[in-house]
Amino acid sequence: MNSPVVVLDRVTKRFAGHTAVDGLSLAVPSGVIFGLLGPNGAGKTTSIRMIMDILEPDEGEVRLFGERGAGRDQSGRIGYLPEERGLYPRMRVLDVLVFLAEVKGVPRRAARTRALEWLDRLGLGDWRQRRVNELSKGMQQKVQFISTMLHDPDLVILDEPFSGLDPVNAQVMKDTVLDLRRRGKTILFSTHIMEQAEKLCDELCIIARGRKLVDGALSDIKRTHGGHHLVIGFDGSAGAAQQVFAETGLVKKVDDYGQYAELELAPNADAQQILQRLVASGARLSRFELMEPSLNKIFIDLVGPEAARAAAQPGAEAAPA
């Protein structure tokens, strides 16, 4: 079995008495998309900065590619898109990409060829001779993403990569990340956007207040932390079903929207029992489906609704994490 590409071993980081990361351990296997998830202020960016050797942990150890040491020692194998975007605004797009690739050791001719290929791939070919400050925020973000890829890194670290992107460009970024995985790259990205994480992640770690709450394969987390959920649709009013919803031995929680309801089953409850009770009640059903919970539901259950709401606020991703 291959060694993990990234290992954090009981890593802690403090700032002026505040513990930003508290004994965090995680391992990122080779060739997966790994999500580092958490609300605003959870410690995601601080953890990534320790991986990249921008910050030094107060305690614990970082290992990359099976070797002790952080990102500065392995920079040639890592592509890093930081939370704080930054390009030279008056340089032309192609020129800034070639320059940044050369800094990473890519010969100028190869850098230009790769930059043109990536610009065409992400729909920016017609903008290659425009100055960076003439591009929209979303375009600039795609340019900065390209700059992380030109030296063909083995590990790609993306801090809040979907922040500020419209749905079309977010889909482009998602498709690109999936293609990188198909090519055998390892992708570690942080986000507070659970929908994107659920679509992309093979494995993940959820942290809050600097501590790990859960980690592992997404499928395992859903199975062990999600409980059992029913989606029920009604042909007409759900009134006849209210007595069934009130049976605490069957139903732990219900969100009743009128013509449909979402139920969390009580421990050891059987969905077939609920179906039988609903039919006996006279309720007319249009849908009855047992579903796994969403990652967003698991996230809220783990971090609490207040922290989850804070993470969803506009600009939350820009605050220190």
Side-chain angles (χ1 to χ4, degrees):
M1 183 176 180
N2 293 333
S3 300
V5 174
V6 180
V7 173
L8 298 184
D9 184 8
R10 294 165 290 180
V11 168
T12 295
K13 185 64 184 178
R14 304 180 185 91
F15 298 100
H18 167 67
T19 302
V21 177
D22 190 358
L24 178 62
S25 294
L26 60 83
V28 180
S30 175
V32 305
I33 301 175
F34 189 100
L36 183 59
L37 316 181
N40 186 39
K44 303 185 300 295
T45 293
T46 299
S47 299
I48 286 175
R49 288 173 178 169
M50 287 189 285
I51 293 170
M52 291 302 303
D53 209 16
I54 297 168
L55 296 173
E56 184 176 348
D58 297 319
E59 300 171 15
E61 181 179 276
V62 177
R63 297 192 294 275
L64 295 176
F65 303 103
E67 299 179 8
R68 185 174 180 176
R72 201 166 301 180
D73 301 321
Q74 301 279 0
S75 62
R77 300 182 67 182
I78 301 173
Y80 173 44
L81 178 69
E83 185 182 27
E84 298 83 8
R85 318 294 192 234
L87 295 166
Y88 297 99
R90 296 188 178 278
M91 288 185 70
R92 299 188 187 279
V93 169
L94 182 58
D95 292 341
V96 75
L97 287 174
V98 171
F99 168 71
L100 292 173
E102 287 186 293
V103 169
K104 285 285 191 177
V106 182
R108 175 177 288 268
R109 180 174 293 181
R112 180 181 173 85
T113 299
R114 295 179 191 179
L116 289 171
E117 290 173 351
W118 271 103
L119 287 167
D120 287 339
R121 178 177 179 177
L122 297 189
L124 294 173
D126 293 340
W127 296 80
R128 61 186 182 276
Q129 295 300 332
R130 304 290 285 272
R131 299 188 189 280
V132 169
N133 59 10
E134 297 178 48
L135 275 61
S136 69
K137 181 179 178 181
M139 289 179 175
Q140 290 184 30
Q141 185 158 329
K142 288 199 289 185
V143 171
Q144 185 142 3
F145 173 78
I146 292 171
S147 75
T148 71
M149 299 305 305
L150 293 178
H151 60 297
D152 194 27
D154 298 313
L155 169 64
V156 181
I157 299 178
L158 309 172
D159 198 352
E160 295 286 358
F162 305 104
S163 172
L165 293 179
D166 60 53
V168 172
N169 282 320
Q171 182 65 41
V172 170
M173 183 69 75
K174 172 177 162 296
D175 291 342
T176 303
V177 169
L178 290 171
D179 184 62
L180 290 172
R181 181 183 60 185
R182 284 190 289 269
R183 291 168 51 198
K185 306 298 184 182
T186 303
I187 301 97
L188 167 63
F189 76 96
S190 76
T191 188
H192 62 272
I193 304 173
M194 294 303 109
E195 289 183 7
Q196 294 290 0
E198 186 160 19
K199 292 175 182 176
L200 288 171
C201 289
D202 303 300
E203 302 200 15
L204 58 88
C205 175
I206 298 177
I207 63 175
R209 296 172 291 279
R211 295 183 177 182
K212 178 171 69 177
L213 301 180
V214 65
D215 72 343
L218 175 59
S219 57
D220 291 341
I221 290 171
K222 284 196 168 192
R223 184 172 59 253
T224 58
H225 292 268
H228 300 285
H229 293 252
L230 280 171
V231 177
I232 303 172
F234 298 95
D235 185 7
S237 171
Q242 297 304 317
Q243 186 174 350
V244 180
F245 293 166
E247 295 188 33
T248 56
L250 294 176
V251 179
K252 179 179 179 180
K253 180 181 177 183
V254 59
D255 292 321
D256 187 355
Y257 300 98
Q259 290 194 327
Y260 81 97
E262 297 181 5
L263 275 63
E264 182 176 350
L265 275 62
N268 302 317
D270 185 350
Q272 291 299 319
Q273 287 181 280
I274 295 177
L275 177 59
Q276 291 168 3
R277 299 290 179 84
L278 287 171
V279 171
S281 74
R284 297 179 61 85
L285 306 182
S286 61
R287 180 183 181 188
F288 187 89
E289 185 175 359
L290 185 62
M291 300 182 66
E292 64 180 12
S294 68
L295 181 57
N296 190 65
K297 172 69 168 57
I298 297 171
F299 178 76
I300 291 172
D301 288 345
L302 287 171
V303 307
E306 290 186 8
R309 282 194 295 270
Q313 293 301 312
E317 69 278 358

